[in-house]
Every structure is written in C-alpha cells, then in structure tokens.
Amino acid sequence: MILKSLALRGFRNYSNLEVSFDPSLNWIKGENGEGKTNLLEAIYYLSALSTFRSVNSDLDLVQWGMSAFSINGELKDDQREISLDISYSDTGKIEKVNGKRITKHSDLHALFPVVLMPILSVESETGGWKRMCPAVS
C-alpha cells in the first residue's frame, strides 16, 4: 500500500494540514521546529496507533489549545483504495477503515505496515553531511 494523502487536524503543531504524496519518493525538508518529525510521527501513528516518541498519553499529541486530534490517510495499491481515520479526544480513540470502526489494532498494521528507521546521516545538496530526523518506510 502507498500513502496517497494525509490530513491532520489538531495533531502536534498542525492545526490543519492536507498533503499529497508522490508514489515513488518524497523529500521532507524544513527548518528546525517546523514539524518534519511530527509529520513522520503521524504516518507512523496510522499504522501502529502509537507514537515512536516518549509521551505520557495520546493527550500529549493534541495541539496546544485544542481538545482533540484526527489523522486521515488515503492508501492505494493496484487493486483498491483505503481510507484510514483515527481520532482522539477526551472520550477516547476511534479507528476506522473505510468508515467502519475497527476493534483489532493489528488490522491497521496489516493494511499499512510501517517500519521506523534510526536517525540517518546523508549528504545534503550543499555537499556536507547532515543529520536527519527519523524516517518511516
């Protein structure tokens, strides 16, 4: 499955974000504190229903001043398209696949397996080696 698009509402530093992805390769670039790792964290959360960071609860993922967050991912392969929706509020977490609520968390990971890779060092376009944030694949 390929992630076609991602929509975030109230997640970390994103009040409202909608982004589409290229099916082959995507480069996430920005200054410190702009949300690159938060974007990767949201993608990871779609699969694992948890973060790769140390947090006390999902409440820590809610944007400051907001009471809830939602993550929507549109997936595609050669045969089908799937919509994954996760919402969190003070009443709990709700996970849906194509609009239907699921109860087995492993169902999400089976549809959209994600692997977290450690911090990488790569040569930047300026020619120097640079540390980069975690990557998901």
Side-chain angles (χ1 to χ4, degrees), residues 11-12 37-45 51-53 61:
F11 185 83
R12 294 280 192 182
T37 302
N38 294 344
L39 183 63
L40 295 175
E41 181 178 26
I43 295 169
Y44 183 85
Y45 198 97
T51 176
F52 53 76
R53 294 176 167 169
L61 305 177

Side-chain angles (χ1 to χ4, degrees), residues 50-69:
S50 64
T51 176
F52 53 76
R53 294 176 167 169
S54 296
V55 296
N56 292 326
S57 74
D58 286 340
L59 183 60
D60 293 339
L61 305 177
V62 177
Q63 185 179 37
W64 185 258
M66 304 284 280
S67 60
F69 73 76

Side-chain angles (χ1 to χ4, degrees), residues 87-131:
S87 59
Y88 171 83
S89 69
D90 57 0
T91 59
K93 191 181 328 187
I94 298 173
E95 305 94 24
K96 294 180 181 179
V97 174
N98 292 333
K100 294 182 180 179
R101 197 167 179 174
I102 62 166
T103 55
K104 286 178 54 184
H105 301 312
S106 59
D107 290 347
L108 282 179
H109 189 68
L111 287 172
F112 185 50
V114 171
V115 175
L116 182 66
M117 296 179 179
I119 293 176
L120 304 171
S121 293
V122 297
E123 190 170 0
S124 71
E125 62 260 14
T126 60
W129 286 92
K130 199 173 188 179
R131 285 186 71 200

